[in-house]
Amino acid sequence: MTKKEDPPPSRVPRAVRVASLLSEGEELSGDDEDEDDHAYEGVPNGGWHTSGLSSPRPSLVPELLLHPMDELPGGSTPITPVIKAGWLYKNPPQGSYIYQKRWVRLDVDHLRYFDSNKDAYSKRFISVACISRVTAIGDQKFEVITNNRTFAFRAESDAERKEWMQSLQRAVAEQRTRAQQSGAYLVGVRGLEQPDRTGNLELRGFKNKLYVAVVGDKVQLYKNVEEYHLGIGITFIDMSVGNVKEADRRSFDLTTPYRIFSFSADTELEKEQWLEAMQGAIAEALSTLEVAEQIWAAAPNRFCADCGTAQPDWASINLCIVICKRCAGEHRGLGAGISKVRSLKMDRKVWTETLIELFLQLGNGAGNHFWAANVPPSEALQPSSSPEARRHHLEAKYREGKYRRYHPLFGSQEELDKALCAAVTTTDLAETQALLGCGAGVNCFSGDPEAPTPLALAEQAGQTLQMEFLRNNQTTASMQPLPPPHSKDVPRLDSMKPFEKHYSVVQPTVSHSGFLYKTASASKLLQDRRAREEFSRRWCVLSDGVLSYYENERTVTPNGEIRANEIVCLAVPPPDSHGFEHTFEVYTEGERLYLFGLESAELAREWVKCIAKAFMPPLAEDLLARDFERLGRLPYKAGLSLQRAQEGWFALTGSELRAVFPEGPCEEPLQLRRLQELSVQGESENQVLVLVERRRTLYIQGERRLDFMGWLGAIQKAAASLGDTLSEQQLGDSDIPVIVYRCVDYITQCGLTSEGIYRKCGQTSKTQRLLESLRQDARSVHLKEGEQNVDDVSSALKRFLRDLPDGLFTRAQRLAWLEASEIEDVEEKVSRYQELLAHLPPVNRATVKALISHLYCVQCFSDTNQMNTHNLAIVFGPTLFQTDGQDYKAGRVVEDLIGHYVVVFSVDEEELRKQREEVTAIVKMRVAGTASGTQHAGDFICTVYLEEKKAESEQHVKIPASMTAEELTLEILDRRNVGIREKDYWTCFEVNEKEEAERPLHFGEKVLPILHGLGTDSHLVVKKHQSMEAMLLYLASRVGDTKHGMMKFREDRSLLGLGLPSGGFHDRYFILNSSCLRLYKEVRSQRPWSGAPETSHRPEKEWPVKSLKVYLGVKKKLRPPTCWGFTVVHETEKHEKQQWYLCCDTQMELREWFATFLFVQHDGLVWPSEPSRVSRAVPEVRLGSVSLIPLRGSENEMRRSVAAFTSDPLSVLRNV
């Protein structure tokens, strides 16, 4: 009898002993198992992490004590039933007389022994399949004999020995019976289940590597590969309680409730492969037999439809057959177009009640009745068949249809289709299976427009099982009618014609399979080149919205998978970026990057297209029409909808970013090299990419850092200058390279009067640095006076033009230009120049015009800068034609183009006038000292706001000297895509924050002088003039051109001379006529003939009306008596400003006074009379279907932007 040592516990012991797996000498000494048991006592607990677990203690337990691994935490039922368990004494096989007490457990598969009954993991295990016999060897002893090893045990009594021997003999006999029933024969002793991965790994705390095998839902540890083949191992880990995670570059931890196993692989790639294999084992362990047991309820489904293996746990859902794991691997090799393989235990979501019922109705019985009707016994598969035999058989059976039962209608496509349409309306599933298997079209036209396909007919008839079967076969390749069995024609399988698809968010119908080379997934962008050795060959299958990758084409369980709905970006690096010529990257929501490679460009392109189709929604399908470098979805904000981000779809093709938004399915291209601004705002964790193109702005948010950083780098690269030719540069609105635009505008602003401009050379080092920065990203370079010298900028421009590989006039036309300069007749010469100009590429043509226009302005100031037309030609001739200066014809061409600038470039008078006005204004302001010393180059840039001053509503506009307030208003509205309706009086206001007043600019007023006169407390705002309609009605109904009446008046405290008491408003009488505004202290009487009162004396003050600026509003600290006031500013000839404040009693009075001011100041033209100018049609410049506005500031400011646009803080002034 077994000695009782401890009362039986009811559950798993709280303190589970964690002993060394290899503390006994036999475990580390190969076959010499009689070494000292304490050889490795220096390694605490055998190298396992045991923190928090108690030490062993002697205990008495019954024979069948529940083992820690028999019951999982939480009370799960035992995985493997225990046949017998108890204490035995084990003798090392080398003849030692020292027996060591071991806790021994026997189950149907393994004989295992432990240091203690509380140990979770064994010291050794012996596969029952490798035990050849069990014999008695004297008193209380017995031997367990394998093919080449013998294990000796001693029991407490002869009776106990007898029980152990009988239990072992029964287990061995049952194991052999099961093997014979399944028709299997043992190859070695590893059993029938093929490992998912095997190999050597280092285990922390041990100097020798262990041989590790991942088999099904277990990880098995062996001392070496020889013992693996003999079936004698150390222990195995049930992955139902396991979890794996990365530790460092080559290490990873396998954690269980009882122990932490710290493994190290040889390479980082191997580590990733081990992680994938063990994660697959966890998935296998957590699977359930619930679905399998339901499907096994039908007797034919209990054996593999192909080889007859018992309890098959895989299935082909389109063929409607149940198969074993080994056959499932070969079905995978057929491709998803032939067989869609799913697990009965793991793919729980697939197995709906309808699909299970379909397998019970059809299953292996009906499947083999059709597909295996004519299998010769010599070609039938057995459970022990080799992978090659399975592959050939399944190819013939399902791809070629070699053994199928031919339908009577076989050979007539039309009759097959008609029969299918009839069958799907009935419950005869076998008939539908036979028709589809013999070539009937699953999407053939039924002849009924209301139910055009068999699926629609089945739905109309309420046949849910027929519908399920048809759906599963819709992406399956259609079997073409084959010739009779004795025909010499080789049967073949062609892909069916694409059918009309109804797409949802993801297209589950996309399928593709083949070999790809894959690296381990990464959590960071791939900055370095991945060598070819870092790629592993994997069989990949894209089906039903899942990209799965397998060890090979016969493997059933995938190493990993990527779900299409989790893909956020697909990128295609340039060829030869990595070890394989052609690669592509897949980014997922989980911040992982997967790199795949192929040598064939065609195969790589096909994979990219299929993956793209699998995760792109139908509204964005047009993005796939062209090749792309990057494709995916990103959160964005635009227009007035800035409170929340929306999801848009983007494709980067060359220098063009194409976008599709939910609001507008039309594809919207964004020319990256034509951007006015490209910047990144916000902190690293919440960045926003700002893309500003003319009249529209887009904000892309960095919700997922990994793919956002990839997009950011790709967009920045695409937006930069890609080469040395003009067309590859960053371009402005008029196809002029930004580098030319920056330099020309800086010199126009700061160097027109610089003596020897373009003739003098700048410092070589500064010129080179400037040119390099301009070439890298001219858009981000802002030239400022005081930081850059005009000669450095002019030298950079000349060097850029000289270094152009093809030249400004192109190599092909260069000689023709030089020859044209020799034409004596001026008209003929000019005509020839125009002809040559028309043949230049668009960017070259626009650049030539911009440059000659600039040189024309330079020579206009030759009295100051000493650079007349001839001198400029001497400098630019050799530069533009890239000659050594010896050919005078180059200079003559430039001189002719400058001299005949107006004619050659067809410059009209209006354009020439505006150009002269702008240049003259610039020079005058510089002479007057009003130009800013830190103004950005070339652009008199004014920040203008829409509606009110908010960071989210600002626009930066270049203000030429000729721009009017009306033009500026329309420019801002165009950028925002704001339509102007009838009676919308949009106006540009000058707002003075310090004075708390604003002035609506007259539509014909020039903006540039106002811009340079603005103080730091002033800005421009475009908004609706709420009182304009009322003022126009008043002006239309009034009589006469004058206005008079009493108003409250106060002078500015800094002014002296009127003798008014300071600190308050006083009643005064005013008369406003076409010439002046007069102030009277009192009124004497009223003139009967005019209605106007007669003043008591001459006016106290008189101001010329044309010199007055009238602002609506009076600052509050002056305590105005009413809220209807305005501020009048008068600037004297000595540029001294005088300021007064006036208040009216009613809002109507204020409107009348202000309307009269506008009327007399602008000769009666208060608002443009042309209807087109009032209701100008706005061009369609929306991105998607939303208007775009600039955005600045933090995320909180972005969220408040909508409220900002609808709020009305200046309601008093707007109601004027």
Side-chain angles (χ1 to χ4, degrees):
M1 295 293 293
T2 302
K3 186 177 181 180
K4 310 289 185 180
E5 297 185 9
D6 214 11
S10 59
R11 293 185 59 82
V12 179
R14 289 179 178 271
V16 180
R17 181 175 183 266
V18 182
S20 166
L21 299 180
L22 301 179
S23 61
E24 196 173 10
E26 64 180 23
E27 268 56 328
L28 286 171
S29 57
D31 294 330
D32 189 13
E33 297 191 5
D34 59 344
E35 290 186 7
D36 189 344
D37 290 350
H38 306 286
Y40 284 84
E41 284 184 353
V43 182
N45 293 312
W48 308 108
H49 299 276
T50 61
S51 58
L53 301 176
S54 65
S55 302
R57 59 182 176 84
S59 60
L60 294 171
V61 296
E63 282 187 11
L64 297 182
L65 172 67
L66 194 61
H67 191 264
M69 292 301 290
D70 286 343
E71 182 175 328
L72 304 181
S76 302
T77 57
I79 297 175
T80 305
V82 178
I83 297 174
K84 186 171 179 58
W87 291 102
L88 289 174
Y89 293 90
K90 180 188 174 297
N91 184 26
Q94 298 301 319
S96 172
Y97 290 99
I98 300 175
Y99 279 81
Q100 297 161 335
K101 192 174 182 179
R102 296 287 180 260
W103 179 259
V104 184
R105 295 177 69 247
L106 173 66
D107 58 45
V108 293
D109 294 317
H110 299 98
L111 174 67
R112 291 184 286 168
Y113 55 89
F114 306 78
D115 273 337
S116 165
N117 62 301
K118 295 181 180 179
D119 286 351
Y121 298 107
S122 64
K123 295 179 65 60
R124 287 296 234 171
F125 71 83
I126 307 163
S127 173
V128 173
C130 79
I131 299 175
S132 58
R133 65 183 187 276
V134 181
T135 59
I137 53 170
D139 294 342
Q140 303 170 357
K141 301 176 185 176
F142 64 93
E143 289 181 335
V144 177
I145 302 172
T146 66
N147 292 335
N148 63 346
R149 296 280 289 277
T150 300
F151 298 84
F153 295 94
R154 190 186 73 196
E156 292 285 346
S157 64
D158 289 337
E160 183 71 14
R161 178 186 66 174
K162 181 178 179 181
E163 289 181 14
W164 272 105
M165 290 180 62
Q166 290 176 347
S167 297
L168 282 165
Q169 289 166 349
R170 272 198 308 269
V172 172
E174 290 173 359
Q175 179 76 24
R176 291 174 180 171
T177 301
R178 287 196 301 272
Q180 291 172 357
Q181 288 176 347
S182 63
Y185 59 87
L186 296 177
V187 180
V189 292
R190 289 172 296 155
L192 295 177
E193 191 167 15
Q194 296 297 316
D196 297 308
R197 183 167 183 83
T198 59
N200 292 305
L201 286 174
E202 295 178 9
L203 193 56
R204 185 179 298 172
F206 300 98
K207 58 185 177 181
N208 295 325
K209 290 184 177 181
L210 298 182
Y211 193 80
V212 182
V214 181
V215 184
D217 60 354
K218 293 180 175 59
V219 174
Q220 301 173 348
L221 306 183
Y222 299 86
K223 288 170 60 177
N224 49 52
V225 66
E226 291 77 14
E227 289 199 351
Y228 164 70
H229 288 291
L230 293 173
I232 302 173
I234 299 171
T235 190
F236 54 79
I237 305 159
D238 191 330
M239 297 303 282
S240 62
V241 295
N243 183 38
V244 289
K245 63 178 181 179
E246 297 184 62
D248 55 35
R249 189 166 176 268
R250 294 188 300 108
S251 303
F252 62 95
D253 292 339
L254 170 52
T255 305
T256 72
Y258 317 104
R259 190 167 294 148
I260 298 176
F261 301 82
S262 296
F263 294 104
S264 293
D266 291 335
T267 65
E268 187 177 357
L269 176 61
E270 285 188 12
K271 179 199 74 173
E272 294 288 344
Q273 294 169 343
W274 277 106
L275 283 172
E276 290 177 356
M278 291 188 183
Q279 287 166 352
I282 293 173
E284 175 79 16
L286 297 178
S287 61
T288 175
L289 287 176
E290 180 182 353
V291 172
E293 288 172 349
Q294 290 184 61
I295 289 181
W296 291 342
N301 294 344
R302 297 171 192 166
F303 299 90
C304 175
D306 296 322
C307 71
T309 299
Q311 294 187 328
D313 54 4
W314 290 82
S316 172
I317 61 171
N318 61 306
L319 297 175
C320 215
I321 56 173
V322 188
I323 52 180
C324 67
K325 187 173 183 179
R326 298 181 72 184
C327 288
E330 302 304 331
H331 273 261
R332 289 277 191 191
L334 295 174
I338 303 297
S339 181
K340 297 180 181 179
V341 181
R342 297 292 182 270
S343 172
L344 298 183
K345 297 193 297 183
M346 292 183 287
D347 297 325
R348 301 179 188 178
K349 293 182 180 179
V350 174
W351 295 101
T352 62
E353 292 298 328
T354 304
L355 184 57
I356 293 173
E357 181 62 26
L358 182 64
F359 267 74
L360 294 176
Q361 294 286 333
L362 286 176
N364 291 357
N368 278 336
H369 179 74
F370 173 74
W371 292 107
N374 301 299
V375 179
S378 60
E379 297 183 22
L381 288 180
Q382 303 298 326
S384 58
S385 296
S386 66
E388 291 74 16
R390 292 175 194 269
R391 188 178 312 118
H392 293 313
H393 176 83
L394 298 181
E395 286 274 350
K397 183 176 181 179
Y398 298 111
R399 185 180 294 278
E400 300 173 8
K402 181 178 180 181
Y403 312 120
R404 63 183 167 173
R405 184 183 301 277
Y406 287 93
H407 194 277
L409 299 176
F410 176 79
S412 174
Q413 186 67 46
E414 184 177 354
E415 294 299 324
L416 285 170
D417 292 346
K418 287 182 180 179
L420 177 64
C421 292
V424 296
T425 62
T426 69
T427 59
D428 194 346
L429 293 165
E431 176 71 3
T432 301
Q433 184 181 51
L435 289 166
L436 287 177
C438 286
V442 70
N443 291 287
C444 62
F445 181 60
S446 66
D448 183 359
E450 295 183 0
T453 65
L455 179 60
L457 288 172
E459 184 177 8
Q460 192 179 66
Q463 297 294 334
T464 56
L465 295 182
Q466 294 277 13
M467 291 168 60
E468 181 73 19
F469 188 63
L470 291 170
R471 285 196 193 99
N472 292 336
N473 280 275
Q474 278 189 327
T475 56
T476 307
S478 176
M479 188 73 71
Q480 295 295 325
L482 300 181
H486 302 291
S487 172
K488 295 181 179 180
D489 295 335
V490 179
R492 59 192 178 86
L493 187 69
D494 296 330
S495 296
M496 70 179 197
K497 295 181 179 179
F499 56 89
E500 191 68 21
K501 303 172 184 177
H502 176 70
Y503 293 106
S504 56
V505 175
V506 177
Q507 302 176 21
T509 57
V510 179
S511 61
H512 196 62
S513 61
F515 280 104
L516 285 172
Y517 292 85
K518 175 186 174 295
T519 64
S521 64
S523 59
K524 298 180 180 179
L525 293 179
L526 304 179
Q527 304 291 349
D528 302 325
R529 177 185 175 89
R530 292 298 175 99
R532 192 181 184 94
E533 294 74 23
E534 297 183 67
F535 288 79
S536 299
R537 190 170 184 256
R538 292 288 180 265
W539 175 257
C540 298
V541 177
L542 175 63
S543 178
D544 290 338
V546 179
L547 174 62
S548 306
Y549 44 94
Y550 303 80
E551 193 76 22
N552 52 57
E553 71 273 25
R554 295 177 300 279
T555 305
V556 175
T557 305
N559 289 357
E561 63 182 26
I562 306 170
R563 297 193 174 276
N565 58 9
E566 295 177 356
I567 297 176
V568 297
C569 181
L570 181 61
V572 183
D576 202 31
S577 296
H578 299 285
F580 280 84
E581 180 73 15
H582 303 281
T583 54
F584 60 91
E585 301 169 351
V586 177
Y587 296 75
T588 65
E589 288 181 341
E591 301 278 356
R592 302 299 296 179
L593 187 159
Y594 298 83
L595 177 65
F596 297 90
L598 279 170
E599 287 294 351
S600 168
E602 183 178 351
L603 291 178
R605 178 189 175 94
E606 184 66 22
W607 269 107
V608 168
K609 289 293 184 183
C610 288
I611 295 174
K613 289 179 180 178
F615 80 95
M616 292 293 287
L619 73 117
E621 283 183 329
D622 291 343
L623 295 178
L624 305 180
R626 288 185 285 174
D627 290 339
F628 52 83
E629 286 86 47
R630 208 168 194 88
L631 177 78
R633 52 187 166 99
L634 288 166
Y636 75 95
K637 291 187 178 182
L640 294 173
S641 303
L642 296 178
Q643 275 189 315
R644 63 181 180 86
Q646 302 180 75
E647 191 172 74
W649 292 86
F650 299 84
L652 180 62
T653 303
S655 62
E656 186 177 81
L657 181 66
R658 295 178 290 142
V660 172
F661 300 138
E663 296 85 352
C666 296
E667 186 181 319
E668 293 284 347
L670 197 69
Q671 301 298 331
L672 296 178
R673 288 212 298 270
R674 296 179 183 272
L675 293 178
Q676 294 179 345
E677 178 186 342
L678 190 158
S679 60
V680 180
Q681 300 179 0
E683 300 177 356
S684 59
E685 298 300 324
N686 190 23
Q687 291 184 320
V688 177
L689 174 62
V690 183
L691 304 177
V692 182
E693 197 183 32
R694 179 172 175 80
R695 298 178 179 174
R696 56 183 178 180
T697 307
L698 180 66
Y699 308 94
I700 298 175
Q701 290 186 288
E703 183 181 41
R704 299 170 298 271
R705 181 164 180 79
L706 181 62
D707 69 296
F708 176 76
M709 295 307 296
W711 276 104
L712 176 60
I715 289 175
Q716 288 176 332
K717 182 178 178 181
S721 299
L722 300 180
D724 296 328
T725 63
L726 282 176
S727 60
E728 293 175 320
Q729 305 300 310
Q730 294 175 344
L731 302 176
D733 294 337
S734 304
D735 278 345
I736 303 169
V738 177
I739 186 171
V740 175
Y741 178 82
R742 285 279 190 263
C743 295
V744 164
D745 278 359
Y746 180 83
I747 294 170
T748 299
Q749 178 183 335
C750 305
L752 285 180
T753 59
S754 176
E755 184 176 349
I757 184 67
Y758 287 119
R759 178 173 54 81
K760 292 181 179 179
C761 295
Q763 295 184 20
T764 304
S765 59
K766 291 184 178 180
T767 300
Q768 186 62 34
R769 284 198 301 270
L770 175 59
L771 185 57
E772 287 177 359
S773 61
L774 286 169
R775 280 177 170 161
Q776 183 175 358
D777 187 7
R779 188 184 297 106
S780 64
V781 177
H782 297 286
L783 305 176
K784 297 180 180 179
E785 189 175 6
E787 295 182 7
Q788 283 89 17
N789 184 276
V790 291
D791 294 327
D792 296 334
V793 177
S794 65
S795 296
L797 176 60
K798 289 187 295 182
R799 184 173 299 180
F800 170 75
L801 295 172
R802 175 180 282 276
D803 293 345
L804 289 174
D806 197 35
L808 183 60
F809 292 96
T810 72
R811 292 178 181 175
Q813 295 190 37
R814 187 180 303 165
L815 183 59
W817 281 93
L818 296 177
E819 291 175 349
S821 67
E822 296 182 311
I823 299 176
E824 295 182 0
D825 184 75
V826 176
E827 290 186 3
E828 183 181 351
K829 181 191 294 188
V830 170
S831 177
R832 179 58 175 161
Y833 283 148
Q834 290 177 325
E835 181 183 344
L836 292 173
L837 190 66
H839 285 86
L840 285 176
V843 177
N844 294 58
R845 182 165 60 251
T847 306
V848 169
K849 180 178 180 180
L851 181 62
I852 298 301
S853 173
H854 168 65
L855 297 180
Y856 176 81
C857 294
V858 172
Q859 61 86 32
C860 289
F861 297 90
S862 58
D863 291 343
T864 305
N865 59 35
Q866 305 300 316
M867 295 300 292
N868 57 26
T869 302
H870 180 70
N871 291 341
L872 290 172
I874 292 175
V875 173
F876 276 93
T879 297
L880 301 182
F881 285 93
Q882 301 172 332
T883 64
D884 55 5
Q886 301 299 319
D887 194 342
Y888 69 93
K889 290 181 287 187
R892 181 180 291 179
V893 172
V894 176
E895 189 170 358
D896 289 340
L897 292 177
I898 298 174
H900 302 287
Y901 161 69
V902 175
V903 180
V904 172
F905 296 97
S906 303
V907 181
D908 57 34
E909 293 183 3
E910 181 65 18
E911 182 180 354
L912 188 61
R913 182 185 63 79
K914 288 183 178 181
Q915 183 177 340
R916 286 174 175 171
E917 285 181 358
E918 182 176 353
V919 173
T920 302
I922 292 171
V923 174
K924 283 183 177 180
M925 281 186 289
R926 291 188 63 81
V927 172
T930 59
S932 173
T934 58
Q935 179 67 39
H936 287 185
D939 297 341
F940 283 99
I941 296 179
C942 175
T943 301
V944 183
Y945 299 91
L946 183 64
E947 296 285 1
E948 63 176 308
K949 185 180 181 181
K950 291 285 288 186
E952 293 86 352
S953 62
E954 67 180 19
Q955 291 283 348
H956 303 285
V957 188
K958 177 185 175 184
I959 309 294
S962 59
M963 177 175 276
T964 63
E966 180 193 23
E967 292 172 341
L968 175 59
T969 300
L970 293 176
E971 172 74 12
I972 296 299
L973 297 180
D974 282 353
R975 289 192 180 194
R976 284 289 311 282
N977 203 18
V978 177
I980 305 177
R981 298 186 297 272
E982 189 178 359
K983 296 185 180 181
D984 275 357
Y985 298 94
W986 287 93
T987 307
C988 183
F989 285 76
E990 175 193 344
V991 179
N992 190 317
E993 295 175 345
K994 181 179 179 181
E995 294 294 331
E996 301 176 27
E998 62 181 5
R999 180 173 74 91
L1001 304 185
H1002 185 261
F1003 67 87
E1005 197 170 350
K1006 295 294 177 62
V1007 179
L1008 190 60
I1010 298 170
L1011 170 63
H1012 286 284
L1014 288 179
T1016 56
D1017 299 319
S1018 300
H1019 60 272
L1020 299 182
V1021 175
V1022 171
K1023 59 183 179 178
K1024 291 181 182 179
H1025 197 315
Q1026 303 292 351
S1027 300
M1028 181 55 71
E1029 184 177 6
M1031 292 194 303
L1032 292 175
L1033 289 174
Y1034 164 72
L1035 292 174
S1037 61
R1038 76 188 184 95
V1039 179
D1041 296 338
T1042 62
K1043 172 73 177 171
H1044 52 84
M1046 296 292 294
M1047 286 189 288
K1048 307 291 185 181
F1049 174 79
R1050 174 174 176 164
E1051 66 177 331
D1052 187 50
R1053 292 190 178 198
S1054 63
L1055 300 177
L1056 301 175
L1058 289 184
L1060 296 173
S1062 60
F1065 283 81
H1066 304 275
D1067 290 329
R1068 288 295 182 267
Y1069 191 81
F1070 289 87
I1071 296 178
L1072 175 63
N1073 57 34
S1074 59
S1075 60
C1076 60
L1077 172 67
R1078 296 190 179 102
L1079 178 148
Y1080 295 88
K1081 190 171 184 179
E1082 58 184 19
V1083 181
R1084 189 188 315 171
S1085 63
Q1086 191 173 26
R1087 297 176 183 176
W1089 62 87
S1090 66
E1094 182 179 350
T1095 55
S1096 57
H1097 48 71
R1098 294 174 62 87
E1100 286 190 58
K1101 196 67 179 176
E1102 183 175 337
W1103 300 284
V1105 72
K1106 298 283 188 181
S1107 65
L1108 298 180
K1109 287 186 178 180
V1110 184
Y1111 293 81
L1112 295 168
V1114 177
K1115 54 187 176 184
K1116 294 178 182 178
K1117 73 176 184 178
L1118 297 179
R1119 297 181 180 179
T1122 70
C1123 61
W1124 300 294
F1126 52 88
T1127 302
V1128 179
V1129 178
H1130 171 59
E1131 187 172 352
T1132 66
E1133 294 180 356
K1134 296 181 179 180
H1135 301 289
E1136 295 177 352
K1137 286 188 178 181
Q1138 299 175 351
Q1139 194 162 300
W1140 293 274
Y1141 307 99
L1142 296 88
C1143 288
C1144 302
D1145 291 332
T1146 65
Q1147 185 184 48
M1148 181 60 69
E1149 283 187 29
L1150 178 61
R1151 289 177 176 174
E1152 292 174 358
W1153 275 105
F1154 196 79
T1156 307
F1157 267 111
L1158 290 177
F1159 184 85
V1160 298
Q1161 282 184 323
H1162 301 287
D1163 301 322
L1165 192 56
V1166 176
W1167 191 255
S1169 58
E1170 300 177 16
S1172 61
R1173 302 176 75 178
V1174 175
S1175 57
R1176 169 178 173 177
V1178 179
E1180 186 61 36
V1181 291
R1182 303 168 78 87
L1183 187 54
S1185 62
V1186 290
S1187 55
L1188 301 174
I1189 63 171
L1191 173 66
R1192 297 292 187 274
S1194 66
E1195 175 68 17
N1196 289 334
E1197 291 172 336
M1198 292 160 58
R1199 292 174 179 171
R1200 294 195 298 266
S1201 60
V1202 172
F1205 282 118
T1206 57
S1207 63
D1208 194 6
L1210 300 178
S1211 58
V1212 173
L1213 299 179
R1214 289 185 180 181
N1215 291 329
V1216 174

